[in-house]
Amino acid sequence: MMKKVEDSSAFKAQLSKLRHDIRTPVGHIIGYAEMIEEDLPPDLLKTFSGDLQAIQNAGQKMLALIEDFLGATTASPEEVNVSEAQFQFRMQLNHINGYSEMIFEEATDLDENEFISDIEKISGAGRAALKLVEAIPQRLLEKSAYKETSPKKKNIPTTEQNTQVITSEIGQGGEILVVDDDISNRELLKRRVKRMGYSARVVSSGEEALALLETERFDLVLLDYMMPGLSGLETLQRMKSSSRLRTIPVIMLSASDDIGMMVECILQGAEDYIFKPFNPILLQARISACLEKVRLRQNISRQFRIFISSPGDVIPERRVAKTVIGRLNEEFFGRAYLIPILWEEEPMLASETFQAQIHPPHETEIYVGILWSRIGSPLPDTILRPDGTRYESGTAFEFEDALSGFKQQGSPEMLLYRKQGAPTLSLEDRDVVLDRLDQIDKLSQYLDRWLIGEDGSYIGAFHMFETEEQLDTMLEMHLRKLVEARLAEDTSARTDAA
């Protein structure tokens, strides 16, 4: 009796894997046909719409045939009418192949090369599906049945142990990581996600995904369940056991219809689960719902606007500052949300000055100044100090505006960093060299005026660094302490009020 139960379980696992494998190329056929139809201009749509619809209909019929002949209720190979199943599958694949050939020939005659590549991918997916259909008898009788291996349970930290992690700042769109071992799946998902208004990166394995997540920030991960090497479930478990990655929402994807598999993913922390081939509208709804939850969590967190001020000679250091803020958003997820204010990310209009279009430093919570070998160019005489004098540069305006805010209202907190070492300049252009030397002198004089008292003592602190790595370490440590202090003050104030 035990042997029969084991054989039945093994057969069902093998059948589930077969359904998964056939659905994959069928999903490619439907997906590429949808993409072509959406991309075609109205005049070509009239020409090709009927054939494209016929291809999609044949693909949908194949999905229904998978359920009819290879459904989850099938208990043994004897219950499968193999010859009839193969006949029905081949008939639909003949339709797909025939309509694809007609579209290819007409597109070639019309010199419409833009979507010929996608038609060739439909044909390739049809050939892949036919191979699987031909192999149905062997797959049903294989003794080395596929067994779904559940990754070992790991000591996953509890919510109390980790209250961390979210990713980059989410605007209308978001940064999405697509993880799938199938190249066509990756391409379809990437194109679909971009069409929805999001940015997308793709990798082919769980190992690649985890490595990329260590260095870059993503707002959502679309993760395939069945992959060689590190499976989707194992990748999910590693993400959820990481204090840095555990709150990045994950939507699992699979052509398998195993409900137990879906439940296991949800229990392990997946936000949602979508069966392939995916419905584009459903996919967009699920992605939007996941990212909306992230936005809601950000909105209820204590927000800190961080103004990043510098001349144009420290652009790499500005990128470091943004990266540090991204990491801290992960660390303070659910408690604080840090919003970087960077002029290069604003739609600056030529009709206005920079200063008129940037959020005023004095209205932020933290000011970060990064200086090296320039102070910048003087501002126009339409922007003057209260005493009527001109600012030395936009950087000087930002520093003094932040300082004025701190003196009047206690914010923003101010952090100032000065890069050591001389810039690399070509000695061939004498004017450039002299201009940079003049800029260095002006910067030193400006800092001396604001940071050194009449008796030569420092009245304002600043931090020196030589490399981007040093700035990264210092800035993360300093911002963390400032944010933690503000959060502690908020907690204390709520306690006193209670």
Side-chain angles (χ1 to χ4, degrees):
M1 181 65 182
M2 183 64 70
K3 183 70 166 63
K4 285 185 178 181
V5 172
E6 289 176 355
D7 287 346
S8 176
S9 177
F11 172 73
K12 283 184 173 292
Q14 183 70 4
L15 196 62
S16 176
K17 179 66 164 58
L18 179 57
R19 291 195 299 271
H20 169 278
D21 291 349
I22 297 176
R23 284 193 189 107
T24 296
V26 174
H28 299 164
I29 290 166
I30 297 171
Y32 281 115
E34 289 174 341
M35 287 283 190
I36 294 172
E37 194 170 23
E38 291 171 12
D39 288 341
L40 286 177
D43 55 331
L44 291 178
L45 188 60
K46 291 179 183 177
T47 304
F48 296 110
S49 178
D51 291 347
L52 289 168
Q53 281 293 327
I55 289 173
Q56 292 175 57
N57 291 339
Q60 294 293 345
K61 287 177 183 176
M62 286 194 70
L63 293 178
L65 290 173
I66 292 171
E67 294 305 314
D68 291 343
F69 289 100
L70 306 171
T73 58
T74 306
S76 68
E78 291 75 23
E79 294 183 25
V80 180
N81 187 339
V82 175
S83 60
E84 180 64 18
Q86 289 181 315
F87 172 78
Q88 295 291 342
F89 279 126
R90 288 193 193 104
M91 186 165 62
Q92 300 307 322
L93 287 169
N94 285 336
H95 293 334
I96 291 166
N97 184 57
Y99 284 113
S100 297
E101 286 181 356
M102 287 192 292
I103 294 174
F104 182 88
E105 290 169 2
E106 289 186 60
T108 303
D109 292 341
L110 293 171
D111 200 25
E112 292 293 337
N113 297 318
E114 289 186 13
F115 64 92
I116 285 178
S117 173
D118 286 348
I119 286 295
E120 290 173 336
K121 288 169 184 170
I122 290 174
S123 299
R127 290 190 294 272
L130 181 59
K131 267 189 179 180
L132 291 164
V133 168
E134 300 292 352
I136 287 176
Q138 295 88 340
R139 292 287 296 270
L140 291 177
L141 297 173
E142 281 178 2
K143 295 298 182 184
S144 56
Y146 168 81
K147 292 181 181 179
E148 178 59 32
T149 56
S150 294
K152 294 178 181 178
K153 301 291 182 182
K154 302 178 182 177
N155 293 324
I156 299 175
T158 63
T159 304
E160 289 75 18
Q161 291 170 318
N162 289 292
T163 56
Q164 303 165 334
V165 179
I166 193 54
T167 50
S168 60
E169 180 181 0
I170 304 175
Q172 186 62 32
E175 298 284 341
I176 296 178
L177 177 62
V178 175
V179 189
D180 200 307
D181 63 301
D182 187 284
I183 186 171
S184 293
N185 282 340
R186 292 197 300 274
E187 183 183 354
L188 279 170
L189 281 165
K190 181 178 181 179
R191 287 168 62 176
R192 181 62 66 187
V193 162
K194 285 189 172 182
R195 196 167 289 189
M196 293 172 184
Y198 305 105
S199 299
R201 290 281 298 278
V202 297
V203 294
S204 61
S205 69
E207 292 87 350
E208 285 183 76
L210 292 173
L212 188 60
L213 286 164
E214 285 299 317
T215 58
E216 299 194 29
R217 304 293 173 264
F218 293 93
D219 303 307
L220 175 69
V221 176
L222 297 178
L223 180 60
D224 185 36
Y225 185 94
M226 291 186 181
M227 296 186 293
L230 201 64
S231 73
L233 184 57
E234 289 171 318
T235 305
L236 174 68
Q237 286 183 330
R238 293 197 187 184
M239 287 182 64
K240 297 306 173 182
S241 66
S242 166
S243 61
R244 291 193 56 253
L245 308 177
R246 64 184 304 272
T247 53
I248 299 176
V250 177
I251 296 178
M252 300 297 295
L253 306 168
S254 181
S256 173
D257 55 4
D258 187 336
I259 298 298
M261 186 186 295
M262 177 181 70
V263 171
E264 180 66 13
C265 289
I266 299 299
L267 290 175
Q268 293 295 332
E271 195 77 23
D272 215 328
Y273 194 107
I274 296 178
F275 293 108
K276 299 182 204 171
F278 57 83
N279 178 291
I281 296 174
L282 178 62
L283 178 67
Q284 182 165 13
R286 298 284 175 82
I287 291 174
S288 297
C290 283
L291 294 182
E292 186 59 29
K293 288 180 184 177
V294 173
R295 293 186 181 99
L296 288 172
R297 289 169 186 163
Q298 290 174 344
N299 288 338
I300 63 175
S301 301
R302 170 77 149 85
Q303 294 190 353
F304 292 84
R305 293 161 295 181
I306 303 179
F307 192 98
I308 312 297
S309 173
S310 76
D313 58 339
V314 287
I315 296 301
E317 286 75 12
R318 292 177 69 84
R319 289 195 288 267
V320 167
K322 183 179 179 181
T323 299
V324 166
I325 290 171
R327 286 203 303 269
L328 290 173
N329 272 331
E330 296 173 351
E331 182 175 331
F332 287 107
F333 178 71
R335 296 192 296 151
Y337 180 48
L338 283 59
I339 305 170
I341 297 176
L342 297 148
W343 59 262
E344 58 266 39
E345 295 187 354
E346 299 298 327
M348 295 296 179
L349 304 177
S351 55
E352 295 281 355
T353 65
F354 279 88
Q355 285 66 40
Q357 300 179 72
I358 300 176
H359 193 93
H362 73 268
E363 292 182 2
T364 62
E365 283 68 43
I366 299 174
Y367 162 94
V368 174
I370 307 173
L371 304 170
W372 183 21
S373 62
R374 292 182 56 82
I375 191 170
S377 305
L379 294 185
D381 55 14
T382 53
I383 304 176
L384 301 173
R385 291 187 176 94
D387 64 4
T389 59
R390 292 179 68 181
Y391 290 98
E392 286 79 355
S393 65
T395 301
F397 167 82
E398 292 161 5
F399 174 81
E400 293 176 41
D401 185 72
L403 185 61
S404 173
F406 179 78
K407 289 178 177 179
Q408 293 179 25
Q409 62 205 22
S411 67
E413 303 274 12
M414 298 184 67
L415 294 170
L416 192 61
Y417 300 87
R418 179 87 186 267
K419 184 175 181 178
Q420 294 179 298
T424 302
L425 298 172
S426 171
L427 298 178
E428 294 180 359
D429 193 329
R430 184 172 180 272
D431 291 339
V432 170
V433 174
L434 292 176
D435 176 69
R436 184 56 62 90
L437 290 172
D438 180 58
Q439 281 285 316
I440 292 172
D441 286 342
K442 287 180 178 177
L443 176 60
S444 296
Q445 292 168 13
Y446 183 82
L447 291 177
D448 288 348
R449 173 151 52 96
W450 286 98
L451 302 179
I452 299 178
E454 294 181 0
D455 60 354
S457 62
Y458 283 100
I459 57 175
F462 61 96
H463 306 274
M464 304 292 286
F465 70 95
E466 294 182 358
T467 65
E468 292 174 30
E469 290 74 18
Q470 289 176 343
L471 176 63
D472 184 291
T473 301
M474 280 197 298
L475 183 58
E476 180 173 339
M477 177 174 58
H478 297 157
L479 286 176
R480 178 185 293 112
K481 288 183 176 180
L482 285 180
V483 172
E484 285 178 340
R486 286 290 187 95
L487 291 176
E489 290 174 5
D490 292 348
T491 301
S492 178
R494 284 195 298 269
T495 302
D496 292 342

